[in-house]
Amino acid sequence: MALSGALLLSVVATALVPATATADTTGGTGAAAGATATASGGPTVTTRYGQVEGKRGETAHSYLGIPYAAPPVGTRRWKPPSPPERWPGVRDATAPGNPCMQSADQSTPWGNLAGPGTPSEDCLYLNVHTPAERSLRKRPVMVWIHGGGFTVGSGTFYDGSELAARGDVVNVTLNYRLGAFGYLAHPGLAEESARGLSGNYGLLDQQAALRWVRDNIAAFGGDPDEVTVFGESAGGGSVCQNLVSPRAAGLFDRAVAQSGCGFPLPTQESQQNSGAAWAKSLDCADVACLRGRPADQVLTASLRPNARWVPNVDGEVLPLQVPDALEQGRFHRVPVLQGTTADEGRLTVAGSYDLAGRQLTAEGYPPAVRAIYGDRAEAILARYPLSDHGSPAEALGAVFTDSQFACLQSRTAELMAEHTRSYQYEFADPHAMDHLNLPVSFPLGAPHGSEIRYVFGGVEGTPAQNALADAMLGYWTNFAKTGVPYAGDAPRWHLFPKVQTLAPEGITGSTTFPRDHQCDLWNEPAS
């Protein structure tokens, strides 16, 4: 059988890397367009729901913990998001809102994936980062959807201040419901719905946040007609799901999917069956019982290994599998930039072996492939012999990279190119993770998530790495401004089928990506 996307989108594999610096709250003389200074010195913005006072920074201002929807608690648990209530006076927007329900300690080498705060059902908040310098024109908006396998993470884990200041854009990061709270499908929930739908609440949260951006971002100096949605891993998958969701029509103008487009999803029927079986673990036969359970009990039950919390193809919010929708041209015709890292799967191997206190041996490599890929294992082992790789771990990492990321993304880029401007990249810094000094026996290379800090401006590496990061921040932000990725003196980025290789040694265009990643093997129907 094929390795599930959920497995590879585990906490370890996500490898989320934020720009760790926070906005400087000292100094600073400018204010973003639409913001005014208060007596306490923080910039104040008026939204449709009330005023917010943010943190003043030297190069960027931050407005944290702004509610974009009502708390999904009580009878709102497992329902589509509702608009937030208005608030009187000026709301303090100097501290983030709660992260969504997840295990409280998501400690990794990159920090706590949940970010600051205590996980809670009351979590539908977003953050806005704006350049401190005034502008007479509205700035493009970049809305970040975090990864984490649809079960962990938060928008606040990523600080968009440097991206906003250096890229001259408005950056928005957001929380959305996770795990069982965001993706439980159940027959009782479908009965409640006028359209007979259940699950996909986390995806609907993302769309609610995008509607909030459309209606409010002009007050922060952002242009509601120039919105780019971007994300990585589960966030990249979410970008592509929004691309094919009719309910997201008109909510964004460009899209960037990093290491996550085209993951296969379950049907609503299968998810409802799984949800009903899972509910029995809480001794609940109906939705009223489930809503009566404390959030921590629901969370504990949701962490069982056999539970899979992902969006489902319900025929309406997600009418089709993403590749099928793309193949039929049933998606929002906006320019799309997407890609993968050169060594996506190595972090999964590290988490399963070295970081778990064991090593993958040459003798253990074939059984590992057979355990995951079943009948296809012999063909895979023939294509990925140990003699072609530096170690068994690197060989297995290549299998994971190609089967679960590279070839899926190459196929979706190809399908989109039939209808819109499609750009593809491969991030290939072989030392992207060296700064973490992880205790592994093989080079991590450029694994899953390692490109994020290059996009957000959080790199302090060699001169070549810093130059690559500058180019990538430029490519991403100029794509948000024009629909074309370009950056200063950086090489031109050609449309698909050329793939832009992003490496410190040089940025080049390649046409050999499908061959390099054995995509004829992975994109053929499984026998």
Side-chain angles (χ1 to χ4, degrees):
M1 66 178 182
L3 181 66
S4 74
L7 176 58
L8 281 177
L9 294 178
S10 64
V11 174
V12 172
T14 302
L16 303 176
V17 183
T20 54
T22 57
D24 181 4
T25 58
T26 63
T29 58
T36 59
T38 66
S40 61
T44 300
V45 171
T46 301
T47 76
R48 290 193 175 190
Y49 302 99
Q51 291 184 303
V52 294
E53 180 181 349
K55 296 200 300 184
R56 178 178 300 281
E58 187 171 331
T59 60
H61 301 331
S62 299
Y63 306 83
L64 309 177
I66 304 174
Y68 69 82
V73 300
T75 59
R76 288 195 176 106
R77 182 189 284 178
W78 296 310
K79 286 189 177 180
S82 303
E85 294 184 0
R86 290 186 57 83
W87 58 83
V90 180
R91 182 185 180 94
D92 182 1
T94 61
N98 303 317
C100 288
M101 285 298 294
Q102 58 196 284
S103 296
D105 183 9
Q106 298 294 346
S107 296
T108 72
W110 311 273
N112 186 345
L113 298 182
T118 302
S120 169
E121 287 193 88
D122 178 6
C123 66
L124 299 186
Y125 299 95
L126 54 75
N127 313 298
V128 181
H129 302 277
T130 69
E133 184 177 352
R134 286 186 176 273
S135 175
L136 296 178
R137 60 172 179 79
K138 298 296 184 184
R139 292 179 163 106
V141 182
M142 299 183 70
V143 180
W144 174 254
I145 302 177
H146 71 79
F150 301 103
T151 59
V152 301
S154 73
T156 311
F157 187 71
Y158 306 85
D159 177 17
S161 298
E162 189 165 358
L163 178 67
R166 291 177 53 194
D168 197 32
V169 297
V170 174
N171 175 246
V172 178
T173 65
L174 61 100
N175 298 339
Y176 57 95
R177 279 174 282 182
L178 302 168
F181 298 92
Y183 298 100
L184 172 66
H186 189 279
L189 294 172
E191 290 176 6
E192 290 182 352
S193 166
R195 309 290 293 181
L197 307 176
S198 68
N200 292 333
Y201 305 109
L203 185 60
L204 293 173
D205 292 343
Q206 296 165 16
Q207 294 172 1
L210 287 167
R211 285 192 294 273
W212 185 97
V213 167
R214 178 194 62 195
D215 296 340
N216 293 278
I217 207 65
F220 297 84
D223 188 344
D225 295 321
E226 295 286 351
V227 175
T228 296
V229 61
F230 70 131
E232 185 269 347
S233 193
S238 296
V239 167
C240 287
Q241 291 150 21
N242 280 296
L243 269 170
V244 307
S245 175
R247 296 192 179 196
L251 295 181
F252 55 92
D253 306 278
R254 291 159 194 127
V256 181
Q258 300 172 211
S259 300
C261 188
F263 296 128
L265 299 173
T267 65
Q268 172 146 142
E269 180 181 8
S270 67
Q271 280 296 85
Q272 286 190 5
N273 291 338
S274 297
W278 173 80
K280 291 180 181 178
S281 70
L282 283 164
D283 295 325
C284 284
D286 56 38
V287 172
C289 174
L290 287 171
R291 288 201 177 106
R293 291 287 188 251
D296 58 349
Q297 288 187 16
V298 175
L299 175 65
T300 299
S302 74
L303 298 178
R304 291 170 184 154
N306 60 344
R308 186 186 178 199
W309 306 113
V310 294
N312 71 79
V313 179
D314 61 10
E316 186 166 315
V317 179
L318 282 177
L320 297 165
Q321 295 283 354
V322 167
D324 293 340
L326 299 178
E327 189 165 22
Q328 297 178 29
R330 295 174 61 180
F331 68 99
H332 308 305
R333 306 295 177 80
V334 301
V336 181
L337 186 157
Q338 60 177 300
T340 52
T341 69
D343 307 298
E344 294 276 3
R346 290 192 189 182
L347 203 61
T348 303
V349 178
S352 300
Y353 291 92
D354 289 52
L355 297 178
R358 59 197 180 114
Q359 288 188 13
L360 179 63
T361 64
E363 294 75 20
Y365 171 60
V369 174
R370 293 186 184 108
I372 296 167
Y373 293 95
D375 293 343
R376 303 192 69 192
E378 299 313 312
I380 293 167
L381 290 167
R383 287 288 194 99
Y384 296 83
L386 286 176
S387 58
D388 286 356
H389 301 275
S391 67
E394 291 166 76
L396 187 59
V399 173
F400 289 169
T401 295
D402 296 351
S403 64
Q404 295 299 316
F405 293 97
C407 296
L408 284 175
Q409 199 105 42
S410 180
R411 178 60 175 154
T412 55
E414 178 183 24
L415 293 171
M416 291 179 190
E418 296 292 322
H419 305 282
T420 191
R421 292 204 303 278
S422 177
Y423 299 92
Q424 187 183 353
Y425 71 86
E426 180 173 47
F427 174 75
D429 180 355
H431 302 289
M433 303 290 280
D434 288 0
H435 66 290
L436 292 177
N437 296 314
L438 296 181
V440 295
S441 62
F442 60 95
L444 283 174
H448 191 60
S450 58
E451 87 290 0
I452 299 176
R453 68 192 188 108
Y454 288 68
V455 173
F456 274 80
V459 173
E460 294 181 1
T462 67
Q465 287 177 316
N466 296 341
L468 174 62
D470 290 344
M472 289 177 62
L473 188 149
Y475 280 137
W476 261 244
T477 55
N478 284 320
F479 178 77
K481 296 169 186 175
T482 67
V484 176
Y486 66 91
D489 296 329
R492 181 182 176 186
W493 192 323
H494 294 272
L495 287 163
F496 183 90
K498 274 206 168 181
V499 177
Q500 196 84 333
T501 302
L502 303 169
E505 296 78 13
I507 298 174
T508 59
S510 170
T511 57
T512 63
F513 185 92
R515 183 173 74 244
D516 296 341
H517 291 279
Q518 314 271 14
C519 291
D520 62 316
L521 171 67
W522 299 112
N523 285 341
E524 69 179 12
S527 59

